[in-house]
Amino acid sequence: MAEDSPKRRKANFNEAETEVLIEQVLKHEQLLFAAGPGRASAGQKRKVWELIRHKVNPVAACPRDVEDLKKRWRDLKRRDRSKLCRLSQGCGPPAP
């Protein structure tokens, strides 16, 4: 019976999840996003993302996996960048 039902999407991130995600990513930002010869290996980054997942899931509405967290982080960065650009420099299409 469960096989016949369509796949349901996960619940939106709540405020607590987002706060923990931001706090943890910023705490480990150098390890996750550093460039150059001293950067972390893919295995180290995977361990850090797993650690972040273990911090987010206790406050999560539904269990999150690492890919969910990475996507949410990318979306937050993109949204903030575009908002800052529109406010400070007038980038993008004009408001209707």
Side-chain angles (χ1 to χ4, degrees):
M1 185 88 172
E3 296 172 350
D4 295 335
S5 64
K7 183 178 178 183
R8 296 178 50 92
R9 68 179 193 90
K10 292 184 178 181
N12 290 342
F13 275 73
N14 61 35
E15 191 173 324
E17 289 173 280
T18 303
E19 286 178 15
V20 172
L21 175 64
I22 291 170
E23 174 187 309
Q24 291 299 312
V25 170
L26 292 178
K27 181 178 177 182
H28 300 286
E29 185 176 24
Q30 185 65 30
L31 189 63
L32 291 171
F33 307 115
R39 68 178 183 239
S41 69
Q44 290 171 318
K45 290 180 184 181
R46 190 172 28 254
K47 287 179 184 177
V48 171
W49 279 110
E50 283 294 327
L51 173 72
I52 294 170
R53 184 178 66 87
H54 286 295
K55 300 277 185 168
V56 170
N57 275 339
V59 297
C62 63
R64 305 292 183 183
D65 58 23
V66 170
E67 290 306 314
D68 295 334
L69 299 176
K70 287 180 178 181
K71 182 179 184 312
R72 177 66 173 164
W73 178 251
R74 283 191 305 267
D75 290 347
L76 287 169
K77 283 194 321 182
R78 179 185 45 80
R79 186 174 52 191
D80 288 345
R81 257 192 241 129
S82 64
K83 184 188 295 185
L84 284 174
C85 184
R86 282 193 310 271
L87 291 174
S88 64
Q89 300 167 358
C91 296

